[in-house]
Amino acid sequence: MTMVVSGRTDFCQAFFILKALCLIIMPFLANETFRQIFQSSVEAIIMVDRDGRILLANPVSERMFGYEKDMLRGLLVEDLLPESVRSRHVKYREGFTAHPEPRPMGMGRDLVARRNDGSTFPVAVSLSHTNIEGELLVMAFISDVSERKKQEEALRRSEEQLLVYASELEKKVQSRTEDLNATIHALEKEVIERKRAEEDAHKALDRERELNELKSKFVSIASHEFRTPLSTIMSSASLIKQYNERQEGEKVDKHVLRIKSSVNHLTGILNDFLSLGKLEEGKVEMVKENFVLNDFLHEVKEELTPTLKHGQSLMVNEIPSVVVNSDQRILRNILFNLISNASKYSEEEKSISVTCSIENMHINFLIRDEGIGIPEEDQKHMFDRFFRASNAGNIQGTGLGLNIVRRYVELLNGKISFSSTYGKGSVFKVVIPM
């Protein structure tokens, strides 16, 4: 049973439906039970007979119209209306009695009721009916809409207030709907929360496993990578003492170089671990500045040439004098790592080239080598932490270099990619915004 007040869906629709249901089942209820429901209702309810005589009125209606207890009983329903509309109302009432059906009263009109003291107030009325033992009884549900009328009048003067009022009504309707579906929503929420908690637990567990794997790999790689250079340093230091006593200078110089090389290798490993730690913790800050790109490339070449293997050459192209704005320190770390890798994974007498160009306000670096290349099945993992290609063999390395390079490139909002042919070499491309 749907009831509408003054042409609108009544905002107390849920209550009206419940009330109508009470009327339908009323004949089946004990008289005392019905009276308890009727008397305890929070809405104004009056029951009238076919002639408009008030048979029952609940306490709310008595308070609403300003009558003492039981004073409404026996009055005509027209007594609750202003005198100016009573005669018309009789016709409306007789029309309803002739064709009774649940409906709102006064469709399209503003209804006004009269209190016992003569004052009037706006109301909304919904009608329903039932037959008990052949007698037609009409039930009127009455709401005092004084406040609503005041709000509507104020809202007509202000579009902004109208929007606020509409929003409030929408919230009320939504609130009623949510109340009716509270049990379902509560269950759905509980399921979602449990699922989210399970997902969070799985993520935490996966993260814990990942950290444990990283710790294991770190211990394994660190112990292996540190052991070899430390052994070299120890043995070379002992041999230097012997060669020094024999005054064999050339052999002393040879082992001094071995010690320096091992120390540099250890320094590189420590730098990799420190860089990774800072990057993981977000402690690497960029310091951008203007510098001449050509001068920067020559400095990189001068610093790295002495570290190359015997007979290897490093070729850097000349470009027009261009001033760029970037972080030199981070850019140097990127090129140092890629060029060092090119040298490490190439044989002696091989060449390494660095080609730089400017395109569409981006700096492009191509680092090309003639080394051992990367097996195709390993290429998708080359930027993973601690990953080393299957053909790396006994070549020293931690598997962190390319991972660190990728993170540095991302800090500069750049991109890195590579192509490689197994046994023939690799080309790494770095693109950095100017």
Side-chain angles (χ1 to χ4, degrees):
M1 181 183 300
T2 301
M3 297 188 181
V4 180
V5 178
S6 299
R8 301 180 185 87
T9 299
D10 189 63
F11 59 87
C12 293
Q13 183 180 10
F15 288 114
F16 285 165
I17 292 173
L18 182 60
K19 294 162 189 173
L21 290 175
C22 288
L23 288 176
I24 293 172
I25 65 173
M26 185 171 62
F28 305 100
L29 295 177
N31 188 52
E32 182 61 29
T33 301
F34 170 72
R35 287 183 178 277
Q36 289 178 0
I37 295 174
F38 186 78
Q39 295 295 325
S40 62
S41 172
V42 296
E43 299 294 318
I45 306 173
I46 61 175
M47 180 184 290
V48 302
D49 60 13
R50 181 183 296 272
D51 298 323
R53 187 74 58 183
I54 299 175
L55 303 178
L56 290 174
N58 71 345
V60 175
S61 62
E62 292 171 343
R63 289 194 297 272
M64 180 181 292
F65 288 95
Y67 287 85
E68 297 294 332
K69 184 178 180 182
D70 294 331
M71 286 182 63
L72 281 174
R73 190 180 302 171
L75 297 178
L76 288 175
V77 70
E78 282 78 18
D79 293 332
L80 304 181
L81 302 177
E83 292 183 6
S84 60
V85 299
R86 288 178 181 176
S87 59
R88 280 179 291 167
H89 184 267
V90 172
K91 295 180 180 180
Y92 296 143
R93 174 168 55 77
E94 290 174 348
F96 179 84
T97 303
H99 303 284
E101 59 178 343
R103 63 177 177 82
M105 179 177 171
M107 180 77 72
R109 293 181 286 113
D110 291 332
L111 301 182
V112 179
R114 181 182 182 277
R115 298 188 182 91
N116 191 25
D117 61 6
S119 61
T120 60
F121 62 100
V123 293
V125 182
S126 290
L127 302 176
S128 186
H129 72 283
T130 187
N131 284 282
I132 298 180
E133 297 180 357
E135 284 293 324
L136 175 67
L137 299 179
V138 180
M139 188 77 77
F141 300 95
I142 306 169
S143 299
D144 182 344
V145 295
S146 300
E147 284 301 317
R148 192 179 75 187
K149 290 296 181 181
K150 291 178 182 178
Q151 292 178 1
E152 288 175 352
E153 181 63 26
L155 292 173
R156 276 193 292 269
R157 297 192 300 265
S158 170
E159 181 179 358
E160 181 180 355
Q161 289 178 335
L162 178 61
L163 294 173
V164 172
Y165 179 63
S167 176
E168 290 176 353
L169 287 178
E170 183 179 358
K171 289 179 181 178
K172 287 180 180 179
V173 173
Q174 182 179 0
S175 176
R176 301 297 190 275
T177 304
E178 290 174 352
D179 290 343
L180 293 174
N181 294 283
T183 302
I184 295 175
H185 291 171
L187 290 174
E188 289 177 347
K189 183 178 179 181
E190 183 178 353
V191 170
I192 292 172
E193 289 178 350
R194 286 182 180 178
K195 185 176 180 181
R196 185 181 294 116
E198 290 176 359
E199 290 175 352
D200 291 342
H202 284 306
K203 288 179 181 178
L205 183 59
D206 291 341
R207 181 61 178 166
E208 186 68 23
R209 287 178 183 151
E210 183 182 357
L211 289 174
N212 288 334
E213 289 176 2
L214 289 177
K215 290 176 183 177
S216 299
K217 288 181 179 179
F218 170 79
V219 172
S220 175
I221 292 173
S223 61
H224 177 268
E225 291 297 321
F226 275 78
R227 186 184 299 114
T228 301
L230 287 174
S231 299
T232 301
I233 292 171
M234 181 65 72
S235 62
S236 293
S238 300
L239 291 172
I240 285 174
K241 181 179 180 182
Q242 298 176 18
Y243 293 143
N244 193 40
E245 292 174 352
R246 301 174 190 170
Q247 297 183 350
E248 297 180 23
E250 292 183 1
K251 293 182 178 180
V252 170
D253 293 339
K254 175 183 176 182
H255 285 282
V256 168
L257 290 176
R258 289 181 64 189
I259 291 175
K260 288 182 178 180
S261 175
S262 297
V263 170
N264 288 334
H265 177 57
L266 290 173
T267 302
I269 295 173
L270 291 174
N271 286 337
D272 282 350
F273 286 128
L274 291 173
S275 297
L276 181 62
K278 290 180 179 179
L279 287 166
E280 291 278 0
E281 296 170 7
K283 293 183 178 180
V284 177
E285 298 181 359
M286 287 193 295
V287 181
K288 291 190 174 183
E289 57 185 335
N290 292 329
F291 59 91
V292 179
L293 184 58
N294 217 33
D295 295 343
F296 169 76
L297 291 173
H298 281 294
E299 291 175 4
V300 170
K301 180 179 180 180
E302 290 178 1
E303 290 182 48
L304 282 175
T305 297
T307 66
L308 303 179
K309 292 180 181 178
H310 178 73
Q312 288 182 344
S313 60
L314 176 59
M315 296 178 291
V316 179
N317 69 314
E318 291 284 339
I319 62 173
S321 182
V322 177
V323 176
V324 297
N325 182 269
S326 189
D327 189 313
Q328 285 195 74
R329 177 178 56 86
I330 293 178
L331 201 55
R332 179 180 280 105
N333 287 339
I334 292 171
L335 293 180
F336 270 42
N337 204 307
L338 293 176
I339 296 172
S340 296
N341 274 357
S343 172
K344 181 165 60 175
Y345 294 104
S346 298
E347 300 292 337
E348 296 180 355
E349 309 297 335
K350 297 292 185 179
S351 62
I352 301 165
S353 66
V354 178
T355 305
C356 180
S357 62
I358 305 295
E359 295 179 12
N360 300 323
M361 296 301 294
H362 285 75
I363 313 170
N364 297 328
F365 295 99
L366 291 178
I367 296 88
R368 188 185 307 271
D369 66 58
E370 300 173 354
I372 61 176
I374 304 169
E376 186 174 352
E377 63 272 15
D378 292 339
Q379 292 184 11
K380 61 182 178 181
H381 299 294
M382 289 312 298
F383 293 106
D384 294 348
R385 284 175 294 185
F386 298 112
F387 181 81
R388 304 196 71 206
S390 56
N391 61 336
N394 294 324
I395 300 174
Q396 294 177 335
T398 61
L400 290 175
L402 289 179
N403 180 267
I404 292 172
V405 167
R406 178 179 62 93
R407 290 170 179 264
Y408 276 139
V409 171
E410 289 173 352
L411 274 179
L412 297 178
N413 295 319
K415 296 181 180 179
I416 183 170
S417 58
F418 71 92
S419 60
S420 183
T421 303
Y422 181 70
K424 294 185 178 180
S426 304
V427 179
F428 280 82
K429 181 178 182 179
V430 177
V431 181
I432 303 294
M434 291 177 63

